Structures are given as structure tokens and as C-alpha cells.
């Protein structure tokens, strides 16, 4: 999976997490809103329906009441003419037909719009009739529909005929009063039929049985209904035969005591519910719209906030997983990826390997040239590594000068070393940064990830061990982890403990190697070299225990012990310079100068005979303090030699800036004098450089006459090497001083001449 794919997944999971969170918020809010809106609508619709129901019942009631009120009115109208003294006189006494015609028939018809007016005598014979029904004024026979009302008034009926209902003004059916009115069907049409007995109070004192009666019929016709309709504001009020035909309209019926309909009415109902809903719904709609708008705004705000948060999360995650300087995945990311790769390989995926890369001298560049150059260098290294590796390899920066690569590849050492070789040559090519020409090295530890691989921590430990080995075997190389290294490491741990014990209990010793003048006949100095004979393992080489001491910090105590030892033993050789090695860790300690002064005082050793050997790496990174320390020690007479010249930076800067008295050409150059022609040229150059800067030059590792001859010719001031004496105990030096002739080497000229 590539870096961008990983990031994308991080973003996606961030987004889907946010989506879920939003869903968790939206769903309940949406449900609440929907329920609230539903309730509101339900309330509006229910109250509208309820209002409709109430209104309809009320309308029915009003229609019925109004029709009954009309009945009462018709009865009052009849009474207004039939119950007068004039009427009694004209009808019962004089039978004045003219009066009846004018004051009764005409009056009721013209003024009150009655449709049929009859006057019957005590035996129900029609005496007078006036009708608008068929224009026939001469009704002689009593229409059958009128018998019930007469019988009722005369007190002959105890039960109302069917399909008729009393107008409430007629209080008593049995005729204790003198008038009665019914609503009934008369000649197939609903009508109000009113009957009033005629006569004085004394005439009627015994009932209406034989009294003349005025009967009037008024149809409940369209005219009346229109009138009622407009009073009650019920448009379209009319009589209907079949309620089924009045769809969508409101109907009511006047019924008799048995519930049989006498007449049915229909009208356009007011339906106030519709109005209520009509008034309320726009507000509800506005409220819903407002709510939707609010919800939309809130959601948009939430989404915006969410996006900001998830963008921040993604950015944070990116920051948490990447190196801020070069943008490469960092240690955490690397660890996650390593676990994934291990799991894939265990499941049968292709084998892979971790390349643990350590830049040599990066810290020095950082310290001497500044962090901006250091950062720029890291960026350059990043680019080169990314360029060398395949797209799906993971290149990570684990720390200051540590990089790591995970790549799927064959696990044979040839393929692994080929990759490592590519990395090393890419990283070690010179860099041009801010006008500086920079060269760094790289050591690589390789751990293979195969199906039997342990966990990520194991793999890293293996790679680390292999890296350690690579560094110790000389830089710019790669080592592949093998099981022996594990044993090696635990062996080293054991040695570390033993070394500490040795330092603290005088378990070490110092060997001294002579340094002679150019002709090789006079010993001018000795170099003190640490020796350790392990109680069980025997002699252990400095090449083994010095790195252990440096790695563990024990070198500080070891160095102090050696300095004291060399000064103590060196007191016996008053004409020799005693050279003591100082490791970077030791020299960088703030109390180093005090320590040297203290030991010199303590051992009463002449400071002018002490020479401290520093390597270039000792000076790196703390130019000012290094220079200061050197100057303070030089002030009391101590001299300095630049050791192993030619293996480190070999920078003119150091030669010019630091007050070295001596330059020691590394034995590797001396060794290659005979084989590599340019080595000889370099030795020449170095010698003239040292001379030019006023330094003395010593060649190390001189083993044979040819080297001796060459170096002497090149102008080297002094020499050190097996040719002139191996490192040995102090007693050897004392003995050699006592009888120098026993140790003198022959002239190289003769030896070389002899050999050839
Ligand atoms: P060095 O300071 O470069 O010491 C010289 C090394 O070269 C010594 O190895 C010495 O035995 C070896 N040598 C001398 N002449 C010849 C020669 O003709 N041929 C070959 N092949 N080798 C020769 P040694 O004693 O094993 O020390 C190794 C390194 O350990 C030293 O390199 C030095 O860096 C370090 N070392 C030794 N003692 C001390 C010490 O007391 N303090 C510190 N800081 N480092 C020490
Ligand atoms: Ca040395
Ligand atoms: Ca050396």
C-alpha cells in the first residue's frame, strides 16, 4: 500500500466516522421534527374535522328549529285572524262569507302567503275554502290530509298520525288549547298545517269538539327555504327526495315520533374546519419551512464543523505519522507498516526485508554547518532514497540520522547486498548544499522478513544488530542479520560488565608502542594503548573492547585510567613524549581539561611531554569548546596530534583552525603505498600540507623497509609501526631506553637494496 493510499484510508475512516456521527444526530432530530410536524398537522386536521362536525350538528339543529319556528309563525298568523272577536262573529254567528273572504282568506293568502285556507263547521264540513294550489277556490270536500289535524284539535286523537310532527306551540295534543299545528306531507309536499278553533271563550269552554275551525296550509317551499337559508347562511337549502343525490352536501330530516322522515333537506354546509385549516395551514407551512431552513442551517453548520474537524484530524494524523522535515513516514507509521508486512508474509506473501540505514557524519554536518544545512541534507537523502526504491517500498525516517526501508524482495544475500549497494552509492555521492560540498557515509543493517519471522520488535532488533555490525566492520557497508549476531550481542553485554569490572579493579594495562625518528634509529615517543586480558577469555583486542567501551560510555572511565597510568609509567622515561588516545566522548566532557590538569598534578608528570591524540570526529560539532579546551591545555604545555588522518573528513578546516602539533597519517595509507599509486601521491600531499602548516607528521603502521624508505623520502618526521617495535609493557620501553642498540633497525636503503 502506498503512502497516499494509507492516507486516503485514514481520511476515509475519518469521513465515515463523521458520517456515522452525523447520522446519529440527524436521525433523532429528523424523527423528532417529523413527529412534531405530524402532531401539529394532526391537531390542525382534527380540530378542523371537529369544528366541521360541531358545525354540521349545529346546522342541522338550526335548520330544524327554524322550520319548526316557521310552523309556529304560521300558527300565530292563523290565530291572529281566527281568534278575533270579528272572526267569531263572522264565522260562528253571521256566517258572513264576505268578511271571511276579505279578513281571513284574502288576508292569510295575500299577507302571509298561505297556500290553502279552509273554514270548517263543527262537523268538519267545508264552509269556506281559498286555495292557491290549483287556482280552485271552491274546495268543497275536506282534503283527507287535513283530517288528522282537525281530529287532533277536537281532541279525538291520542296518537299523532304517522309522518307528521307537532309544532311545539301546540302544547297538548289532546286539545286543551284552541289551536294546533303539524308539519306533515300534504298532497305529497311537506307543509305546515295549522288549525285554530273559532269561538268566544264561553263557546269553547267545553272544548273544540263542535267548534268551527280555521285550517291553513303553508307549503315548506323553496321560497321559505331560501329565506331560512339566507338567515342561517346555508346556501342551497332545499328539499330533496333522495339523500344519495346530495353528495358532498349536508342533509337533515324532519321525522315523526317513529323516526320516519317527513321531509329531507339539503344545503351547502359551512364547514368552518376547512376555513380553520385554511387559516392555520399557511402558518404551519411557514413554521415547517422555517424549521426545515433552521435544520438545514444547523446541518450545514454541523457539516462544516465536521469537515473542519475531520480535515484537522487527517492533518493531525498525517503529522503524527510523518516526519516534519522530510515528509517521510515516521517511526510510528513505519512500525504499523512493518506489522502489516510481517502479517502478509506470514500469510504467504512474498518475502521482504527491512533496511536500517544510519548516516555517518550527519550529526557532524548538523553541528558544524547548522540545522538548515542539516535539514536540507535530510531532504536530499530522502529524495535519493525515494529515487532508488520502488514506488511501493516504504521509506521512513526513524530519527535524526536513521532511515529505514521496507521492501519486498528475494531474501538471498546477493539480492539484499545489491539493494544495499544501490542505497549506499546513492547516499554517499557528494551533496552540494548552500555552497558546501558535503560527503556523508551510510551503514546498513538488513533483517529479512520471511514466514518464520518474529514480531516487528524482533525484526527491528535484528536490523539494529546488523547495523551495529556494519558500523563496526568499517562504515559504508551493509550487514545482513544472522542468528550469530544475537549470540554476539549477548556476548557483548557480558563483556561490557566485565570491562567495567576490569576498569575499576585495575584489570587493564597499558602497552606502549615506540615512535621513532625518520631514520628509525632513535625512539622519540611512545603511544599508550589499552590492553585487557580477560580472566577467562584471555587477551581481548582493543578493536573489540574499545567500541564496546565507546558504545556504553565506559570509555570515559577507561580513558581516565589510561591517562593516569601512562603519566605514572611515563615518568620513568624523561626524554620521551607519551601519547595518549582520547575518545570523542571523553574530550567533549566539560571537565576534561580539569581532569587532565588534575592527573598531571597528581602524577607530577611534565605536561610538555604529554601528547593527546584526537580524531577529527572528536572535534566535530563543538568547534568552540573543542578549540577552547585545546588552547587551555596547550597553555600548560600539552601537545595535540590529529590521529588517523585520512580516514575521516580530512578537512583543511580542522587542520587550520585547531592548534594541532602533529598529524598522524593513518596506517591504511601507509599500507597501500606500494599498491595504489594515488596513495603515494596523497601521502606526499599530506606531508607537505602538514609541513606547510607547521605541523610534524608521523606515519602509522610502518611495517617494512619499503614503506620506511618511501615515507622518509616523502619527508615524514617520525614513524610508528611493527618495523620499529610492537606495543609492549612499560618494562620493554625502559629496557629499550637502557640499551637502544639492541632495538635499532637497519637502514632501509640497504634492506631494500638487499631484497631487490
Ligand atoms: P590507534 O590509536 O590508531 O593505535 C594504533 C593501532 O595500530 C594500535 O592497535 C597498534 O597496535 C596498531 N599498530 C601499530 N603498529 C602497527 C603496524 O605496524 N601494523 C599494524 N597492522 N598495526 C599496528 P591497537 O592497540 O589494537 O588499538 C587499536 C585502536 O584502539 C587504536 O588505534 C585506538 O584508536 C584504540 N585505542 C587503543 N587504546 C586506546 C585508549 O587507551 N584510549 C582510546 N580512546 N582508544 C584506544
Ligand atoms: Ca592513536
Ligand atoms: Ca592511529
Amino acid at each position: 500500500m502506498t503512502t497516499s493510499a494509507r492516507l486516503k484510508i485514514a481520511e476515509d475512516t475519518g469521513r465515515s466516522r463523521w458520517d456515522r456521527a452525523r447520522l446519529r444526530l440527524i436521525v433523532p432530530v429528523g424523527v423528532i421534527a417529523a413527529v412534531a410536524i405530524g402532531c401539529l398537522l394532526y391537531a390542525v386536521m382534527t380540530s378542523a374535522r371537529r369544528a366541521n362536525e360541531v358545525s354540521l350538528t349545529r346546522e342541522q339543529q338550526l335548520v330544524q328549529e327554524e322550520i319548526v319556528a316557521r310552523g309556529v309563525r304560521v300558527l300565530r298568523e292563523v290565530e291572529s285572524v281566527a281568534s278575533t272577536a270579528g272572526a267569531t262573529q263572522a264565522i260562528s254567528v253571521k256566517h258572513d262569507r264576505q268578511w271571511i273572504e276579505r279578513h281571513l282568506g284574502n288576508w292569510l293568502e295575500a299577507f302571509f302567503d298561505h297556500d290553502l285556507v279552509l273554514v270548517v263547521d263543527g262537523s268538519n264540513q267545508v264552509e269556506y275554502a281559498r286555495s292557491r294550489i290549483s287556482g280552485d277556490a271552491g274546495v268543497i270536500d275536506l282534503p283527507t290530509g287535513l283530517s288528522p289535524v282537525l281530529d287532533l284539535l277536537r281532541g279525538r286523537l291520542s296518537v299523532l298520525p304517522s309522518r307528521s310532527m307537532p309544532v311545539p306551540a301546540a302544547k297538548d295534543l289532546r286539545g286543551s288549547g284552541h289551536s294546533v299545528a303539524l308539519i306533515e306531507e300534504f298532497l305529497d309536499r311537506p307543509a305546515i298545517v295549522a288549525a285554530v278553533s273559532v269561538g268566544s271563550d264561553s263557546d269553547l269552554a267545553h272544548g273544540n269538539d263542535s267548534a268551527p275551525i280555521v285550517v291553513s296550509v303553508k307549503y315548506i317551499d323553496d321560497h321559505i327555504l331560501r329565506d331560512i337559508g339566507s338567515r342561517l347562511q346555508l346556501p342551497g337549502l332545499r328539499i330533496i327526495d333522495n339523500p344519495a343525490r346530495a353528495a358532498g352536501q349536508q342533509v337533515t330530516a324532519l321525522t315523526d315520533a317513529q323516526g320516519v322522515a317527513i321531509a329531507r333537506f339539503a344545503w351547502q354546509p359551512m364547514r368552518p374546519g376547512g376555513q380553520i385549516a385554511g387559516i392555520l395551514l399557511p402558518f404551519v407551512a411557514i413554521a415547517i419551512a422555517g424549521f426545515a431552513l433552521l435544520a438545514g442551517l444547523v446541518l450545514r453548520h454541523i457539516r462544516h464543523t465536521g469537515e473542519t474537524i475531520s480535515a484537522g484530524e487527517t492533518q493531525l494524523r498525517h503529522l503524527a505519522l510523518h516526519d516534519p522535515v522530510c515528509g517521510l513516514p515516521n517511526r510510528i507509521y513505519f512500525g504499523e507498516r512493518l506489522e502489516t508486512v510481517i502479517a502478509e508474509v506470514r500469510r504467504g506473501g512474498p518475502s521482504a526485508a527491512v533496511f536500517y540505514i544510519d548516516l555517518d557524519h550527519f550529526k557532524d554536518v548538523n553541528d558544524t554547518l547548522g540545522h538548515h544545512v542539516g535539514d536540507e541534507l535530510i531532504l536530499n537523502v530522502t529524495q535519493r532514497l525515494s529515487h532508488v526504491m520502488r514506488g511501493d517500498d516504504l521509506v521512513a525516517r526513524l530519527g535524526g540520522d536513521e532511515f529505514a526501508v521496507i521492501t519486498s524482495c528475494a531474501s538471498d544475500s546477493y539480492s539484499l547486498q545489491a539493494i544495499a549497494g544501490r542505497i549506499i552509492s546513492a547516499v554517499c555521492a557528494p551533496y552540494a548544499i548552500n555552497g558546501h560540498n558535503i560527503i556523508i557515509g551510510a551503514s546498513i543493517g538488513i533483517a529479512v522478513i520471511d514466514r518464520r519471522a518474529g514480531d516487528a520488535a524482533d525484526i527491528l532488533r535484528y536490523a539494529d544488530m546488523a547495523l551495529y555490525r556494519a558500523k563496526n566492520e568499517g562504515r559504508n557497508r551493509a550487514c545482513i542479520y544472522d542468528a550469530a549476531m544475537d549470540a554476539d550481542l549477548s556476548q557483548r553485554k557480558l563483556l561490557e560488565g566485565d570491562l567495567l569490572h576490569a576498569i575499576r579493579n585495575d584489570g587493564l594495562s597499558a602497552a606502549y608502542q615506540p615512535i621513532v625518528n625518520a631514520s628509525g634509529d632513535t625512539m622519540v615517543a611512545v603511544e599508550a594503548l589499552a590492553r585487557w586480558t580477560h580472566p577467562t577469555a584471555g587477551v581481548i583486542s582493543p578493536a573489540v573492547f574499545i567500541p564496546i567501551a565507546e558504545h556504553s560510555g565506559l570509555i570515559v572511565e577507561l580513558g581516565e585510567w589510561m591517562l593516569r597510568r601512562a603519566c605514572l609509567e611515563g615518568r620513568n622515561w624523561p626524554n620521551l613524549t607519551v601519547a595518549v588516545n582520547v575518545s570523542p566522548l571523553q574530550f567533549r566532557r566539560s571537565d576534561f581539561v580539569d581532569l587532565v590538569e588534575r592527573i598531571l598534578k597528581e602524577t607530577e608528570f611534565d605536561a610538555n611531554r604529554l601528547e593527546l591524540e584526537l580524531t577529527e570526529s572528536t572535534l566535530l560539532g563543538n568547534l568552540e569548546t573543542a578549540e577552547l579546551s585545546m588552547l587551555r591545555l596547550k597553555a600548560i604545555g600539552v601537545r595535540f596530534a590529529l590521529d588517523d588522518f585520512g580516514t575521516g573528513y580530512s578537512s583543511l578546516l580542522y587542520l587550520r583552525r585547531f592548534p594541532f602539533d602533529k598529524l598522524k597519517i593513518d596506517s591504511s595509507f601507509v599500507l597501500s603505498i606500494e599498491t595504489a599509486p594515488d596513495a603515494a601521491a596523497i601521502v606526499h600531499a599530506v606531508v607537505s600540507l602538514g609541513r606547510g602548516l607547521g605541523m610534524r607528521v608521523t606515519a602509522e603502521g610502518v611495517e617494512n623497509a619499503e614503506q620506511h624508505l618511501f615515507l622518509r623520502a616523502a619527508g615524514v618526521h617520525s614513524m610508528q609501526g611493527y618495523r620499529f617495535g610492537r606495543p609492549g609493557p612499560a618494562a620493554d620501553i625502559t629496557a629499550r631506553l637502557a640499551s637502544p642498540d639492541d632495538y635499532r633497525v637497519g637502514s632501509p636503503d640497504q634492506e631494500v637494496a638487499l631484497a631487490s
Side-chain angles (χ1 to χ4, degrees), residues 527 581 613 643-645 664-667 700 720:
E527 178 177 359
N581 293 289
E613 294 193 0
D643 202 359
D644 303 342
F645 188 78
K664 293 184 83 174
I665 300 177
D666 191 69
S667 53
E700 289 186 289
Q720 179 181 0

Side-chain angles (χ1 to χ4, degrees), residues 82-83 88 92 175-179 196-213:
S83 302
T88 306
S92 313
S176 61
H178 304 300
S179 60
V196 175
S197 309
V198 180
S200 63
D201 289 348
S202 57
D203 294 341
L204 301 175
H206 302 292
N208 312 315
D209 192 37
S210 54
I213 293 174

Side-chain angles (χ1 to χ4, degrees), residues 3-19:
T3 309
S4 59
R6 276 290 276 239
L7 263 181
K8 189 141 173 15
I9 288 176
E11 278 165 27
D12 286 351
T13 48
R15 196 174 306 138
S16 67
R17 194 167 57 230
W18 158 241
D19 283 347

Side-chain angles (χ1 to χ4, degrees), residues 417-441:
Q417 286 291 359
I419 297 173
R422 284 213 312 273
I423 295 176
I424 289 173
S425 47
V427 171
C428 296
Y431 299 82
I433 296 170
N434 286 10
H436 300 282
N437 190 31
I438 299 172
I439 297 178
I440 54 169

